[in-house]
Amino acid sequence: MPDAAIRIRHPATLRTANAVGALLKRSGINAFPLHASRLLDRAEAVGGFALSDPMPRDGLAALVRSLESEARLSLFGKFAMRSALQRAADSRHRIERAFAECPEIGDERIRNPVFIIGAPRSGTTILHALLHLDRDHRAPLSWECLLPYPAPTPADHAANKRIDTVRREFDRIFTLVPDFRKKHYMAADSPQECLAITALNFTSFQFLAQAYVPSYHEWFVTADQERNLGWHRRFLQFLQSGGVRRPRWLLKSPVHLMRLRELFAVYPDARVIVTHRHPDRIVPSTTSLVSSMRSLYSDHEDASRTGREQLRIWADYFARFLRDRRQYAGEAQIVDVLFDEFARDQMAVVECIYARFGWQLRAEDRVRMESFLRDEPQGKHGAHEYSLAQIGVTSAEIEREYASYLDFLAGLG
């Protein structure tokens, strides 16, 4: 049993709203029901376009079934989830209409993209934010993934109403989940993970971070990830079509660990940065972050259950990564980064990455990176405390489940 629960506090207004929702449910009233077909039908009407790709339809159907049968969403959770899914469906239809109206968007070239694919909670977010400060890099931003249509232009990329909208939404999340800032750096105009892109394809780990949906995850890990990343590339083409271009796209997601082969199939000229940290830190830290997010959508979040789930998920993803890594011949396109070295001297690691890939680190870009590190020190919003004991996972289980990865990790040291 866990030694201590992960305590997540919410404001009284949220607790009251969810109590009302529980009362409605006991009375037989299903507030804010989720129906995949209705979400897509509305998006088709709003976007004025019908999707031909079955993947988002299949993914949304699998997701809604899992949400309704397993997630135990609260009243707020159902409202928020339905709103988010409708927004994603609306955006997807509008983007596909843009391709239909302007087929040359599909001719946009994506050259030498950079992917940060390390383990969760291993420094990927800060590294992503640092490299984004290089003027040769363009990362998809949070607001661009949440409200992508129309494609941003040089005139409105830095300031527009969509950024303001997402900033207000993030502020509400920080109010509803006060400890979230301790665990994850996030801003409306900060670089966003690829999971927000694949969420528009309804084939994304993002939904697992928001709710307990085990049957959806079973569907997700068997889905065609090459097709999923084909949509990912299509999204980058759409964003780029507005005229905001840089020499290299800068992408990031720990979930790419489970689809390295598919990543290189879609992006054969990609450069990949893999960050590494011992799983006895990855598993409890990831559990703590996921539990905080899931608690916003459900009053029944169980950190111990989530801990065992995360233990298994990332063990499987690492196994897939090691398999694909052994079979891939392009080691020159991959660089490994150890978390402890990155935590000790971030700029030294950045310099090593640049040297490996033959990039130039300009003086003005270095100044921006160093300024960011001063302004966003670790623990700025409070210490993020976590442990295996909190989630009922033992060191022996970590050693057993991650034996092959730990052997690989030892070889890097």
mmCIF file of all heavy atoms in Angstrom, residues 291-337:
data_model
loop_
_atom_site.group_PDB
_atom_site.id
_atom_site.type_symbol
_atom_site.label_atom_id
_atom_site.label_comp_id
_atom_site.label_asym_id
_atom_site.label_seq_id
_atom_site.Cartn_x
_atom_site.Cartn_y
_atom_site.Cartn_z
ATOM 1 N N SER A 291 -1.767 12.368 -12.244
ATOM 2 C CA SER A 291 -2.817 12.382 -11.219
ATOM 3 C C SER A 291 -3.371 13.778 -11.017
ATOM 4 O O SER A 291 -4.577 13.958 -10.830
ATOM 5 C CB SER A 291 -2.280 11.828 -9.896
ATOM 6 O OG SER A 291 -2.227 10.424 -9.915
ATOM 7 N N SER A 292 -2.494 14.780 -11.028
ATOM 8 C CA SER A 292 -2.970 16.156 -10.890
ATOM 9 C C SER A 292 -3.924 16.517 -12.021
ATOM 10 O O SER A 292 -4.993 17.098 -11.787
ATOM 11 C CB SER A 292 -1.779 17.126 -10.889
ATOM 12 O OG SER A 292 -1.063 17.051 -9.688
ATOM 13 N N MET A 293 -3.560 16.175 -13.254
ATOM 14 C CA MET A 293 -4.412 16.514 -14.389
ATOM 15 C C MET A 293 -5.710 15.719 -14.349
ATOM 16 O O MET A 293 -6.798 16.266 -14.564
ATOM 17 C CB MET A 293 -3.651 16.262 -15.695
ATOM 18 C CG MET A 293 -4.447 16.611 -16.942
ATOM 19 S SD MET A 293 -5.091 18.313 -16.957
ATOM 20 C CE MET A 293 -3.553 19.226 -17.169
ATOM 21 N N ARG A 294 -5.624 14.423 -14.067
ATOM 22 C CA ARG A 294 -6.842 13.609 -14.039
ATOM 23 C C ARG A 294 -7.796 14.056 -12.942
ATOM 24 O O ARG A 294 -9.022 13.940 -13.093
ATOM 25 C CB ARG A 294 -6.480 12.136 -13.849
ATOM 26 C CG ARG A 294 -5.877 11.475 -15.074
ATOM 27 C CD ARG A 294 -5.561 10.017 -14.811
ATOM 28 N NE ARG A 294 -5.073 9.350 -16.011
ATOM 29 C CZ ARG A 294 -4.705 8.068 -16.058
ATOM 30 N NH1 ARG A 294 -4.768 7.317 -14.957
ATOM 31 N NH2 ARG A 294 -4.280 7.543 -17.189
ATOM 32 N N SER A 295 -7.259 14.581 -11.865
ATOM 33 C CA SER A 295 -8.126 15.013 -10.762
ATOM 34 C C SER A 295 -8.998 16.192 -11.158
ATOM 35 O O SER A 295 -10.019 16.466 -10.523
ATOM 36 C CB SER A 295 -7.276 15.388 -9.543
ATOM 37 O OG SER A 295 -6.634 16.654 -9.724
ATOM 38 N N LEU A 296 -8.606 16.906 -12.209
ATOM 39 C CA LEU A 296 -9.432 18.002 -12.701
ATOM 40 C C LEU A 296 -10.687 17.481 -13.381
ATOM 41 O O LEU A 296 -11.721 18.146 -13.397
ATOM 42 C CB LEU A 296 -8.609 18.851 -13.677
ATOM 43 C CG LEU A 296 -9.281 20.053 -14.335
ATOM 44 C CD1 LEU A 296 -9.764 21.041 -13.290
ATOM 45 C CD2 LEU A 296 -8.318 20.733 -15.305
ATOM 46 N N TYR A 297 -10.622 16.261 -13.908
ATOM 47 C CA TYR A 297 -11.724 15.695 -14.683
ATOM 48 C C TYR A 297 -12.529 14.643 -13.921
ATOM 49 O O TYR A 297 -13.621 14.284 -14.350
ATOM 50 C CB TYR A 297 -11.178 15.068 -15.970
ATOM 51 C CG TYR A 297 -10.569 16.067 -16.922
ATOM 52 C CD1 TYR A 297 -9.220 16.409 -16.826
ATOM 53 C CD2 TYR A 297 -11.332 16.685 -17.898
ATOM 54 C CE1 TYR A 297 -8.653 17.339 -17.690
ATOM 55 C CE2 TYR A 297 -10.776 17.612 -18.771
ATOM 56 C CZ TYR A 297 -9.433 17.935 -18.653
ATOM 57 O OH TYR A 297 -8.881 18.852 -19.505
ATOM 58 N N SER A 298 -11.980 14.148 -12.834
ATOM 59 C CA SER A 298 -12.673 13.096 -12.083
ATOM 60 C C SER A 298 -12.393 13.241 -10.593
ATOM 61 O O SER A 298 -11.275 13.571 -10.189
ATOM 62 C CB SER A 298 -12.207 11.714 -12.559
ATOM 63 O OG SER A 298 -12.752 10.693 -11.734
ATOM 64 N N ASP A 299 -13.409 12.970 -9.791
ATOM 65 C CA ASP A 299 -13.242 12.966 -8.331
ATOM 66 C C ASP A 299 -12.802 11.594 -7.838
ATOM 67 O O ASP A 299 -12.748 11.364 -6.626
ATOM 68 C CB ASP A 299 -14.561 13.361 -7.647
ATOM 69 C CG ASP A 299 -14.909 14.815 -7.866
ATOM 70 O OD1 ASP A 299 -13.979 15.623 -8.103
ATOM 71 O OD2 ASP A 299 -16.110 15.159 -7.824
ATOM 72 N N HIS A 300 -12.514 10.689 -8.731
ATOM 73 C CA HIS A 300 -12.175 9.314 -8.354
ATOM 74 C C HIS A 300 -10.753 8.942 -8.779
ATOM 75 O O HIS A 300 -10.455 7.760 -8.940
ATOM 76 C CB HIS A 300 -13.182 8.338 -8.977
ATOM 77 C CG HIS A 300 -14.590 8.597 -8.565
ATOM 78 N ND1 HIS A 300 -15.106 8.172 -7.366
ATOM 79 C CD2 HIS A 300 -15.591 9.271 -9.194
ATOM 80 C CE1 HIS A 300 -16.366 8.551 -7.265
ATOM 81 N NE2 HIS A 300 -16.682 9.216 -8.362
ATOM 82 N N GLU A 301 -9.908 9.939 -8.944
ATOM 83 C CA GLU A 301 -8.525 9.651 -9.315
ATOM 84 C C GLU A 301 -7.827 8.888 -8.184
ATOM 85 O O GLU A 301 -7.889 9.256 -7.016
ATOM 86 C CB GLU A 301 -7.774 10.945 -9.633
ATOM 87 C CG GLU A 301 -6.259 10.829 -9.719
ATOM 88 C CD GLU A 301 -5.760 9.790 -10.708
ATOM 89 O OE1 GLU A 301 -6.555 9.309 -11.557
ATOM 90 O OE2 GLU A 301 -4.576 9.445 -10.647
ATOM 91 N N ASP A 302 -7.159 7.813 -8.561
ATOM 92 C CA ASP A 302 -6.460 6.941 -7.613
ATOM 93 C C ASP A 302 -4.987 6.924 -8.013
ATOM 94 O O ASP A 302 -4.612 6.303 -9.007
ATOM 95 C CB ASP A 302 -7.064 5.534 -7.684
ATOM 96 C CG ASP A 302 -6.415 4.554 -6.718
ATOM 97 O OD1 ASP A 302 -5.303 4.834 -6.233
ATOM 98 O OD2 ASP A 302 -7.015 3.495 -6.470
ATOM 99 N N ALA A 303 -4.145 7.622 -7.246
ATOM 100 C CA ALA A 303 -2.733 7.737 -7.598
ATOM 101 C C ALA A 303 -2.033 6.388 -7.594
ATOM 102 O O ALA A 303 -1.109 6.158 -8.381
ATOM 103 C CB ALA A 303 -2.026 8.703 -6.648
ATOM 104 N N SER A 304 -2.460 5.478 -6.717
ATOM 105 C CA SER A 304 -1.849 4.151 -6.690
ATOM 106 C C SER A 304 -2.156 3.397 -7.989
ATOM 107 O O SER A 304 -1.263 2.782 -8.588
ATOM 108 C CB SER A 304 -2.360 3.362 -5.483
ATOM 109 O OG SER A 304 -1.798 2.069 -5.460
ATOM 110 N N ARG A 305 -3.401 3.458 -8.435
ATOM 111 C CA ARG A 305 -3.776 2.823 -9.707
ATOM 112 C C ARG A 305 -3.010 3.457 -10.860
ATOM 113 O O ARG A 305 -2.493 2.755 -11.742
ATOM 114 C CB ARG A 305 -5.281 2.964 -9.923
ATOM 115 C CG ARG A 305 -5.779 2.364 -11.235
ATOM 116 C CD ARG A 305 -7.249 2.684 -11.456
ATOM 117 N NE ARG A 305 -7.470 4.121 -11.612
ATOM 118 C CZ ARG A 305 -8.660 4.691 -11.712
ATOM 119 N NH1 ARG A 305 -9.752 3.951 -11.643
ATOM 120 N NH2 ARG A 305 -8.770 5.993 -11.853
ATOM 121 N N THR A 306 -2.928 4.779 -10.860
ATOM 122 C CA THR A 306 -2.205 5.472 -11.920
ATOM 123 C C THR A 306 -0.725 5.114 -11.893
ATOM 124 O O THR A 306 -0.087 4.967 -12.942
ATOM 125 C CB THR A 306 -2.397 6.995 -11.785
ATOM 126 O OG1 THR A 306 -3.791 7.303 -11.958
ATOM 127 C CG2 THR A 306 -1.591 7.762 -12.816
ATOM 128 N N GLY A 307 -0.172 4.942 -10.697
ATOM 129 C CA GLY A 307 1.231 4.576 -10.588
ATOM 130 C C GLY A 307 1.525 3.231 -11.216
ATOM 131 O O GLY A 307 2.512 3.064 -11.951
ATOM 132 N N ARG A 308 0.671 2.248 -10.963
ATOM 133 C CA ARG A 308 0.884 0.929 -11.544
ATOM 134 C C ARG A 308 0.671 0.981 -13.061
ATOM 135 O O ARG A 308 1.354 0.283 -13.821
ATOM 136 C CB ARG A 308 -0.041 -0.094 -10.890
ATOM 137 C CG ARG A 308 0.038 -0.118 -9.367
ATOM 138 C CD ARG A 308 -0.161 -1.501 -8.813
ATOM 139 N NE ARG A 308 0.972 -2.363 -9.119
ATOM 140 C CZ ARG A 308 2.122 -2.340 -8.453
ATOM 141 N NH1 ARG A 308 2.330 -1.496 -7.470
ATOM 142 N NH2 ARG A 308 3.105 -3.165 -8.790
ATOM 143 N N GLU A 309 -0.257 1.787 -13.496
ATOM 144 C CA GLU A 309 -0.489 1.961 -14.923
ATOM 145 C C GLU A 309 0.742 2.574 -15.600
ATOM 146 O O GLU A 309 1.209 2.083 -16.631
ATOM 147 C CB GLU A 309 -1.699 2.869 -15.132
ATOM 148 C CG GLU A 309 -1.967 3.254 -16.575
ATOM 149 C CD GLU A 309 -2.899 4.440 -16.678
ATOM 150 O OE1 GLU A 309 -2.627 5.484 -16.025
ATOM 151 O OE2 GLU A 309 -3.893 4.338 -17.396
ATOM 152 N N GLN A 310 1.277 3.638 -15.006
ATOM 153 C CA GLN A 310 2.441 4.293 -15.590
ATOM 154 C C GLN A 310 3.675 3.394 -15.552
ATOM 155 O O GLN A 310 4.504 3.418 -16.461
ATOM 156 C CB GLN A 310 2.720 5.622 -14.871
ATOM 157 C CG GLN A 310 1.607 6.645 -14.990
ATOM 158 C CD GLN A 310 1.285 6.997 -16.429
ATOM 159 O OE1 GLN A 310 2.173 7.352 -17.211
ATOM 160 N NE2 GLN A 310 0.010 6.910 -16.800
ATOM 161 N N LEU A 311 3.795 2.598 -14.514
ATOM 162 C CA LEU A 311 4.886 1.620 -14.429
ATOM 163 C C LEU A 311 4.886 0.718 -15.655
ATOM 164 O O LEU A 311 5.928 0.496 -16.293
ATOM 165 C CB LEU A 311 4.725 0.782 -13.156
ATOM 166 C CG LEU A 311 5.675 -0.414 -12.979
ATOM 167 C CD1 LEU A 311 7.071 0.063 -12.616
ATOM 168 C CD2 LEU A 311 5.131 -1.366 -11.903
ATOM 169 N N ARG A 312 3.715 0.216 -16.023
ATOM 170 C CA ARG A 312 3.610 -0.723 -17.146
ATOM 171 C C ARG A 312 3.727 -0.011 -18.487
ATOM 172 O O ARG A 312 4.374 -0.504 -19.415
ATOM 173 C CB ARG A 312 2.281 -1.481 -17.061
ATOM 174 C CG ARG A 312 2.176 -2.419 -15.866
ATOM 175 C CD ARG A 312 0.927 -3.262 -15.964
ATOM 176 N NE ARG A 312 -0.289 -2.453 -15.945
ATOM 177 C CZ ARG A 312 -0.946 -2.113 -14.848
ATOM 178 N NH1 ARG A 312 -0.501 -2.507 -13.663
ATOM 179 N NH2 ARG A 312 -2.046 -1.398 -14.909
ATOM 180 N N ILE A 313 3.085 1.147 -18.603
ATOM 181 C CA ILE A 313 3.069 1.851 -19.885
ATOM 182 C C ILE A 313 4.484 2.192 -20.340
ATOM 183 O O ILE A 313 4.890 1.899 -21.473
ATOM 184 C CB ILE A 313 2.217 3.128 -19.794
ATOM 185 C CG1 ILE A 313 0.720 2.771 -19.850
ATOM 186 C CG2 ILE A 313 2.556 4.102 -20.930
ATOM 187 C CD1 ILE A 313 -0.199 3.954 -19.658
ATOM 188 N N TRP A 314 5.267 2.806 -19.471
ATOM 189 C CA TRP A 314 6.583 3.269 -19.901
ATOM 190 C C TRP A 314 7.569 2.122 -20.036
ATOM 191 O O TRP A 314 8.498 2.194 -20.851
ATOM 192 C CB TRP A 314 7.073 4.381 -18.981
ATOM 193 C CG TRP A 314 6.185 5.569 -19.140
ATOM 194 C CD1 TRP A 314 5.201 5.996 -18.289
ATOM 195 C CD2 TRP A 314 6.120 6.430 -20.280
ATOM 196 N NE1 TRP A 314 4.550 7.075 -18.818
ATOM 197 C CE2 TRP A 314 5.081 7.366 -20.034
ATOM 198 C CE3 TRP A 314 6.835 6.503 -21.467
ATOM 199 C CZ2 TRP A 314 4.756 8.363 -20.948
ATOM 200 C CZ3 TRP A 314 6.517 7.498 -22.385
ATOM 201 C CH2 TRP A 314 5.481 8.413 -22.121
ATOM 202 N N ALA A 315 7.357 1.035 -19.298
ATOM 203 C CA ALA A 315 8.176 -0.158 -19.526
ATOM 204 C C ALA A 315 7.950 -0.681 -20.940
ATOM 205 O O ALA A 315 8.898 -1.062 -21.642
ATOM 206 C CB ALA A 315 7.849 -1.233 -18.490
ATOM 207 N N ASP A 316 6.698 -0.694 -21.379
ATOM 208 C CA ASP A 316 6.375 -1.133 -22.737
ATOM 209 C C ASP A 316 6.949 -0.173 -23.766
ATOM 210 O O ASP A 316 7.536 -0.600 -24.778
ATOM 211 C CB ASP A 316 4.855 -1.228 -22.896
ATOM 212 C CG ASP A 316 4.439 -1.547 -24.324
ATOM 213 O OD1 ASP A 316 4.955 -2.525 -24.880
ATOM 214 O OD2 ASP A 316 3.604 -0.811 -24.879
ATOM 215 N N TYR A 317 6.826 1.126 -23.526
ATOM 216 C CA TYR A 317 7.328 2.104 -24.491
ATOM 217 C C TYR A 317 8.852 2.026 -24.619
ATOM 218 O O TYR A 317 9.408 2.147 -25.724
ATOM 219 C CB TYR A 317 6.915 3.518 -24.085
ATOM 220 C CG TYR A 317 5.444 3.834 -24.305
ATOM 221 C CD1 TYR A 317 4.528 2.835 -24.631
ATOM 222 C CD2 TYR A 317 4.962 5.127 -24.178
ATOM 223 C CE1 TYR A 317 3.182 3.123 -24.822
ATOM 224 C CE2 TYR A 317 3.630 5.433 -24.376
ATOM 225 C CZ TYR A 317 2.745 4.424 -24.691
ATOM 226 O OH TYR A 317 1.416 4.726 -24.875
ATOM 227 N N PHE A 318 9.537 1.833 -23.489
ATOM 228 C CA PHE A 318 10.992 1.693 -23.549
ATOM 229 C C PHE A 318 11.390 0.427 -24.305
ATOM 230 O O PHE A 318 12.378 0.423 -25.049
ATOM 231 C CB PHE A 318 11.589 1.670 -22.146
ATOM 232 C CG PHE A 318 11.796 3.035 -21.545
ATOM 233 C CD1 PHE A 318 11.234 3.374 -20.329
ATOM 234 C CD2 PHE A 318 12.569 3.981 -22.203
ATOM 235 C CE1 PHE A 318 11.421 4.630 -19.780
ATOM 236 C CE2 PHE A 318 12.764 5.253 -21.659
ATOM 237 C CZ PHE A 318 12.193 5.580 -20.436
ATOM 238 N N ALA A 319 10.636 -0.645 -24.115
ATOM 239 C CA ALA A 319 10.928 -1.890 -24.841
ATOM 240 C C ALA A 319 10.794 -1.663 -26.346
ATOM 241 O O ALA A 319 11.624 -2.145 -27.138
ATOM 242 C CB ALA A 319 9.993 -2.999 -24.368
ATOM 243 N N ARG A 320 9.765 -0.948 -26.756
ATOM 244 C CA ARG A 320 9.590 -0.641 -28.177
ATOM 245 C C ARG A 320 10.741 0.235 -28.688
ATOM 246 O O ARG A 320 11.247 0.037 -29.798
ATOM 247 C CB ARG A 320 8.250 0.079 -28.395
ATOM 248 C CG ARG A 320 7.023 -0.789 -28.142
ATOM 249 C CD ARG A 320 5.760 0.077 -28.096
ATOM 250 N NE ARG A 320 4.567 -0.702 -27.826
ATOM 251 C CZ ARG A 320 3.547 -0.836 -28.677
ATOM 252 N NH1 ARG A 320 3.578 -0.241 -29.848
ATOM 253 N NH2 ARG A 320 2.489 -1.550 -28.349
ATOM 254 N N PHE A 321 11.139 1.197 -27.870
ATOM 255 C CA PHE A 321 12.236 2.085 -28.242
ATOM 256 C C PHE A 321 13.529 1.302 -28.450
ATOM 257 O O PHE A 321 14.231 1.498 -29.454
ATOM 258 C CB PHE A 321 12.432 3.145 -27.164
ATOM 259 C CG PHE A 321 13.741 3.875 -27.249
ATOM 260 C CD1 PHE A 321 13.960 4.828 -28.222
ATOM 261 C CD2 PHE A 321 14.760 3.599 -26.343
ATOM 262 C CE1 PHE A 321 15.176 5.501 -28.301
ATOM 263 C CE2 PHE A 321 15.972 4.257 -26.416
ATOM 264 C CZ PHE A 321 16.183 5.211 -27.395
ATOM 265 N N LEU A 322 13.845 0.419 -27.515
ATOM 266 C CA LEU A 322 15.077 -0.355 -27.628
ATOM 267 C C LEU A 322 15.054 -1.260 -28.858
ATOM 268 O O LEU A 322 16.059 -1.412 -29.552
ATOM 269 C CB LEU A 322 15.295 -1.183 -26.363
ATOM 270 C CG LEU A 322 15.598 -0.388 -25.094
ATOM 271 C CD1 LEU A 322 15.687 -1.323 -23.901
ATOM 272 C CD2 LEU A 322 16.882 0.425 -25.242
ATOM 273 N N ARG A 323 13.894 -1.854 -29.140
ATOM 274 C CA ARG A 323 13.760 -2.694 -30.329
ATOM 275 C C ARG A 323 14.022 -1.884 -31.599
ATOM 276 O O ARG A 323 14.809 -2.285 -32.469
ATOM 277 C CB ARG A 323 12.363 -3.307 -30.371
ATOM 278 C CG ARG A 323 12.065 -4.149 -31.598
ATOM 279 C CD ARG A 323 10.560 -4.258 -31.795
ATOM 280 N NE ARG A 323 9.967 -2.956 -32.071
ATOM 281 C CZ ARG A 323 8.666 -2.657 -31.900
ATOM 282 N NH1 ARG A 323 7.827 -3.569 -31.428
ATOM 283 N NH2 ARG A 323 8.213 -1.456 -32.184
ATOM 284 N N ASP A 324 13.368 -0.726 -31.704
ATOM 285 C CA ASP A 324 13.525 0.102 -32.898
ATOM 286 C C ASP A 324 14.937 0.664 -32.992
ATOM 287 O O ASP A 324 15.504 0.784 -34.089
ATOM 288 C CB ASP A 324 12.508 1.243 -32.887
ATOM 289 C CG ASP A 324 11.082 0.766 -33.116
ATOM 290 O OD1 ASP A 324 10.895 -0.418 -33.463
ATOM 291 O OD2 ASP A 324 10.161 1.583 -32.942
ATOM 292 N N ARG A 325 15.511 1.013 -31.857
ATOM 293 C CA ARG A 325 16.870 1.595 -31.846
ATOM 294 C C ARG A 325 17.880 0.562 -32.359
ATOM 295 O O ARG A 325 18.791 0.893 -33.123
ATOM 296 C CB ARG A 325 17.211 2.030 -30.424
ATOM 297 C CG ARG A 325 18.580 2.706 -30.252
ATOM 298 C CD ARG A 325 18.570 4.150 -30.692
ATOM 299 N NE ARG A 325 19.843 4.800 -30.456
ATOM 300 C CZ ARG A 325 20.118 5.589 -29.423
ATOM 301 N NH1 ARG A 325 19.190 5.822 -28.508
ATOM 302 N NH2 ARG A 325 21.296 6.158 -29.295
ATOM 303 N N ARG A 326 17.726 -0.684 -31.960
ATOM 304 C CA ARG A 326 18.644 -1.737 -32.411
ATOM 305 C C ARG A 326 18.533 -1.962 -33.918
ATOM 306 O O ARG A 326 19.514 -2.286 -34.578
ATOM 307 C CB ARG A 326 18.353 -3.048 -31.675
ATOM 308 C CG ARG A 326 18.841 -3.077 -30.235
ATOM 309 C CD ARG A 326 18.770 -4.483 -29.678
ATOM 310 N NE ARG A 326 17.398 -4.998 -29.628
ATOM 311 C CZ ARG A 326 16.608 -4.897 -28.567
ATOM 312 N NH1 ARG A 326 17.042 -4.304 -27.460
ATOM 313 N NH2 ARG A 326 15.386 -5.402 -28.603
ATOM 314 N N GLN A 327 17.337 -1.782 -34.458
ATOM 315 C CA GLN A 327 17.101 -2.070 -35.872
ATOM 316 C C GLN A 327 17.408 -0.891 -36.786
ATOM 317 O O GLN A 327 17.452 -1.048 -38.006
ATOM 318 C CB GLN A 327 15.650 -2.505 -36.066
ATOM 319 C CG GLN A 327 15.299 -3.816 -35.372
ATOM 320 C CD GLN A 327 13.818 -4.147 -35.467
ATOM 321 O OE1 GLN A 327 13.024 -3.376 -35.991
ATOM 322 N NE2 GLN A 327 13.440 -5.303 -34.931
ATOM 323 N N TYR A 328 17.617 0.307 -36.187
ATOM 324 C CA TYR A 328 17.796 1.502 -37.006
ATOM 325 C C TYR A 328 19.286 1.758 -37.242
ATOM 326 O O TYR A 328 20.093 1.669 -36.320
ATOM 327 C CB TYR A 328 17.166 2.720 -36.333
ATOM 328 C CG TYR A 328 17.226 3.956 -37.196
ATOM 329 C CD1 TYR A 328 16.527 4.006 -38.393
ATOM 330 C CD2 TYR A 328 18.000 5.038 -36.831
ATOM 331 C CE1 TYR A 328 16.591 5.121 -39.213
ATOM 332 C CE2 TYR A 328 18.071 6.168 -37.639
ATOM 333 C CZ TYR A 328 17.357 6.195 -38.826
ATOM 334 O OH TYR A 328 17.434 7.299 -39.639
ATOM 335 N N ALA A 329 19.627 2.086 -38.475
ATOM 336 C CA ALA A 329 21.037 2.245 -38.842
ATOM 337 C C ALA A 329 21.537 3.684 -38.745
ATOM 338 O O ALA A 329 22.722 3.930 -38.915
ATOM 339 C CB ALA A 329 21.260 1.720 -40.264
ATOM 340 N N GLY A 330 20.653 4.621 -38.478
ATOM 341 C CA GLY A 330 21.041 6.030 -38.533
ATOM 342 C C GLY A 330 21.428 6.630 -37.204
ATOM 343 O O GLY A 330 20.877 7.662 -36.799
ATOM 344 N N GLU A 331 22.382 6.020 -36.509
ATOM 345 C CA GLU A 331 22.774 6.525 -35.193
ATOM 346 C C GLU A 331 23.315 7.949 -35.249
ATOM 347 O O GLU A 331 23.267 8.674 -34.260
ATOM 348 C CB GLU A 331 23.812 5.597 -34.557
ATOM 349 C CG GLU A 331 23.227 4.348 -33.932
ATOM 350 C CD GLU A 331 22.369 4.646 -32.698
ATOM 351 O OE1 GLU A 331 22.748 5.523 -31.898
ATOM 352 O OE2 GLU A 331 21.313 4.011 -32.548
ATOM 353 N N ALA A 332 23.840 8.359 -36.400
ATOM 354 C CA ALA A 332 24.357 9.723 -36.519
ATOM 355 C C ALA A 332 23.252 10.761 -36.362
ATOM 356 O O ALA A 332 23.531 11.935 -36.094
ATOM 357 C CB ALA A 332 25.055 9.900 -37.867
ATOM 358 N N GLN A 333 22.012 10.332 -36.517
ATOM 359 C CA GLN A 333 20.878 11.255 -36.379
ATOM 360 C C GLN A 333 20.334 11.303 -34.953
ATOM 361 O O GLN A 333 19.358 11.998 -34.693
ATOM 362 C CB GLN A 333 19.748 10.832 -37.329
ATOM 363 C CG GLN A 333 20.111 10.957 -38.805
ATOM 364 C CD GLN A 333 19.042 10.356 -39.704
ATOM 365 O OE1 GLN A 333 19.300 9.382 -40.420
ATOM 366 N NE2 GLN A 333 17.843 10.915 -39.675
ATOM 367 N N ILE A 334 20.945 10.575 -34.033
ATOM 368 C CA ILE A 334 20.444 10.463 -32.670
ATOM 369 C C ILE A 334 21.520 10.896 -31.683
ATOM 370 O O ILE A 334 22.687 10.528 -31.827
ATOM 371 C CB ILE A 334 20.005 9.018 -32.355
ATOM 372 C CG1 ILE A 334 18.946 8.540 -33.345
ATOM 373 C CG2 ILE A 334 19.487 8.907 -30.926
ATOM 374 C CD1 ILE A 334 18.565 7.077 -33.180
ATOM 375 N N VAL A 335 21.140 11.672 -30.683
ATOM 376 C CA VAL A 335 22.044 12.024 -29.595
ATOM 377 C C VAL A 335 21.351 11.712 -28.274
ATOM 378 O O VAL A 335 20.150 11.961 -28.113
ATOM 379 C CB VAL A 335 22.467 13.506 -29.656
ATOM 380 C CG1 VAL A 335 21.276 14.443 -29.522
ATOM 381 C CG2 VAL A 335 23.511 13.822 -28.596
ATOM 382 N N ASP A 336 22.087 11.134 -27.333
ATOM 383 C CA ASP A 336 21.556 10.785 -26.019
ATOM 384 C C ASP A 336 22.001 11.820 -24.992
ATOM 385 O O ASP A 336 23.150 12.279 -24.998
ATOM 386 C CB ASP A 336 22.046 9.402 -25.595
ATOM 387 C CG ASP A 336 21.524 8.299 -26.491
ATOM 388 O OD1 ASP A 336 20.302 8.047 -26.460
ATOM 389 O OD2 ASP A 336 22.325 7.689 -27.234
ATOM 390 N N VAL A 337 21.084 12.176 -24.085
ATOM 391 C CA VAL A 337 21.355 13.160 -23.033
ATOM 392 C C VAL A 337 20.968 12.556 -21.689
ATOM 393 O O VAL A 337 19.837 12.086 -21.523
ATOM 394 C CB VAL A 337 20.552 14.456 -23.275
ATOM 395 C CG1 VAL A 337 20.674 15.400 -22.075
ATOM 396 C CG2 VAL A 337 21.015 15.151 -24.545
#
